[in-house]
Amino acid sequence: MRSGLARLIAAQVSLHACMTGFRMAAPLMALREGHSPAAVGMLLALFALAQVFLALPAGRYADRRGLRKPVMLAVGVAMAGAALAVAFPVFGVLCVTALTCGAATGLAMIALQRHVGRLATNPTELKQVFSWMAIGPSISNFLGPFAAGLLIDAWGFRAAFLLLALLPSLAWFWVRGTVEHEPVAPALRNTSGSSWNLLRERAFRRLMLINWMLSSCWDVHTFLVPVMGHERGLSATMIGAILGVFALAATAVRLAMPWLAAHLRESAVIGTAMVSTALLFALYPLVQAAWAMGLLSILLGVALGSVQPMIMSTLHQITPHHRHGEALGLRAMAINGSSVVMPLLFGSVGALVGMASLFWVVGAVVGLGSRLAWTQVTPGEAVNRP
């Protein structure tokens, strides 16, 4: 399982790095060509917008076809969209590239997560495999923008776009020999009904609400730290460092979790993370020094970084085996929809109550919502309780 998991993580990094590289390079090119910040914001939103509408069909497709066909389709779409940017590096084409790279990455991620969940044979292994998989985006969030930035400075945007266009082909290299799991029987697919039926299950609804609240915390931190840092006169380098240590802390805790998985309960980890986030958000507006903001950012990275493997493990335990792809699609749709809508909402609410107060508002919501996590019991936890 370890060698197979390593190949899947490498495939995930290859596709995701293509998107994260374009997510940095495309807005930079648009700004250098004189496009407005509003246009750049729309360009960035397109990376997530495609995944909002395609997540559910992608989940059902993964349930029907398994891993290799969705990944092969994702590789083709990502490379085609990136090749357009190489041939015609203009704003309109970059918008198409954003849509295609976002859609391809979403499809591949759902198929990969579904396949990885089926490698595990018990709840402990579920937590372990998803802890390892959670490291992949951390690597690609660094690798894609860093490689693109180096090539932009050395040879220009077209060279960077060409490298990013070639990266998805590596994903197919890593998964081409993967042994597929047993396909979902047509009878099960035909009797499942609409994907929205999953929301009739109380445990699934609660998990989606928890996931949305924690995803919003990630977004609000990314949104507000640059605003607060600017208000306090911090340099761009210092603001970047504060956000950087957050990402490093999230990666570090995910590296540790596979070895701790046997001693962790999903509900306890998620509940603790929500309470900790609420407390840290309460302190954030009160600190002024860069070092204090950096310390809070590290602690917040540890709290939020620990959550994704636990949520993925819970989702696979409370969802019917033949509907894991659909459940992952619903989750992806909620996260990406939040990434599109929440920054606009943050700006509106922040204008009314103040940007600093927004930390308190979101923190209060998450703190009150932590009760949902503490009372969410997975089948694996129920077996282990007296």
Side-chain angles (χ1 to χ4, degrees):
M1 184 176 72
R2 290 181 179 179
S3 62
L5 184 60
R7 290 195 298 270
L8 296 176
I9 293 172
Q12 178 190 34
V13 169
S14 301
L15 265 165
H16 197 255
C18 172
M19 185 189 73
T20 57
F22 269 110
R23 202 163 54 192
M24 183 280 291
L28 182 60
M29 184 174 186
L31 289 169
R32 290 189 181 181
E33 290 186 343
H35 291 279
S36 67
V40 172
M42 182 194 73
L43 176 60
L44 283 171
L46 292 176
F47 284 97
L49 189 62
Q51 298 185 48
V52 174
F53 295 102
L54 293 178
L56 275 179
R60 300 203 76 160
Y61 183 65
D63 279 334
R64 292 196 306 271
R65 300 297 184 184
L67 174 68
R68 284 181 294 181
K69 287 187 177 179
V71 171
M72 183 169 61
L73 177 60
V75 167
V77 171
M79 293 185 71
L84 283 175
V86 177
F88 308 103
V90 296
F91 183 79
V93 173
L94 291 179
C95 290
V96 175
T97 301
L99 282 169
T100 54
C101 287
T105 302
L107 171 60
M109 292 287 278
I110 290 170
L112 285 163
Q113 290 167 348
R114 177 185 177 276
H115 186 87
V116 165
R118 294 176 175 227
L119 293 176
T121 58
N122 56 62
T124 297
E125 286 189 356
L126 271 175
K127 288 176 280 191
Q128 289 174 330
V129 296
F130 282 117
S131 295
W132 286 117
M133 284 295 288
I135 297 168
S138 300
I139 297 171
S140 53
N141 277 327
F142 168 78
L143 180 63
F146 181 72
L150 286 178
L151 286 179
I152 289 169
D153 289 338
W155 293 294
F157 282 96
R158 266 195 166 138
F161 293 165
L162 178 60
L163 171 67
L164 296 174
L166 295 175
L167 278 179
S169 63
L170 296 176
W172 178 244
F173 171 79
W174 290 115
V175 303
R176 73 191 192 285
T178 302
V179 178
E180 294 279 13
H181 297 299
E182 189 72 21
V184 175
L188 285 174
R189 293 201 307 263
N190 295 335
T191 57
S192 295
S194 168
S195 300
W196 298 101
N197 290 343
L198 288 168
L199 293 174
R200 293 180 180 176
E201 297 295 328
R202 183 167 176 263
F204 187 81
R205 287 199 310 272
R206 288 158 65 104
L207 185 64
M208 289 300 99
L209 183 58
I210 291 167
N211 198 111
W212 170 76
M213 284 190 285
L214 289 166
S215 176
S216 297
C217 290
W218 200 292
D219 289 336
V220 78
H221 182 258
T222 303
F223 176 81
L224 282 182
V225 165
V227 175
M228 292 176 60
H230 176 72
E231 290 176 350
R232 292 167 186 179
L234 300 182
S235 67
T237 301
M238 190 59 66
I239 293 170
I242 292 170
L243 292 174
V245 295
F246 170 83
L248 288 174
T251 303
V253 72
R254 288 170 178 176
L255 283 170
M257 290 187 74
W259 287 278
L260 301 175
H263 308 288
L264 300 174
R265 290 191 298 112
E266 290 90 344
S267 58
V269 172
I270 297 171
T272 301
M274 295 179 78
V275 172
S276 301
T277 298
L279 293 173
L280 292 168
F281 272 21
L283 293 174
Y284 236 113
L286 304 179
V287 301
Q288 299 291 324
W291 68 265
M293 292 179 67
L295 176 60
L296 292 178
S297 187
I298 291 171
L299 295 174
L300 190 64
V302 171
L304 293 179
S306 67
V307 167
Q308 182 183 343
M310 300 297 113
I311 286 181
M312 297 297 287
S313 172
T314 303
L315 182 146
H316 277 74
Q317 292 182 65
I318 66 175
T319 305
H321 190 68
H322 63 284
R323 304 191 72 182
H324 284 166
E326 292 178 78
L328 290 166
L330 277 171
R331 175 182 175 271
M333 185 180 70
I335 290 176
N336 287 288
S338 176
S339 295
V340 173
V341 174
M342 294 309 289
L344 301 176
L345 181 61
F346 295 154
S348 302
V349 174
L352 291 175
V353 302
M355 290 298 179
S357 300
L358 188 55
F359 265 124
W360 291 331
V361 172
V362 176
V365 171
V366 173
L368 292 172
S370 64
R371 182 177 177 276
L372 295 175
W374 288 111
T375 56
Q376 180 94 330
V377 180
T378 66
E381 289 180 328
V383 168
N384 293 327
R385 288 190 176 186

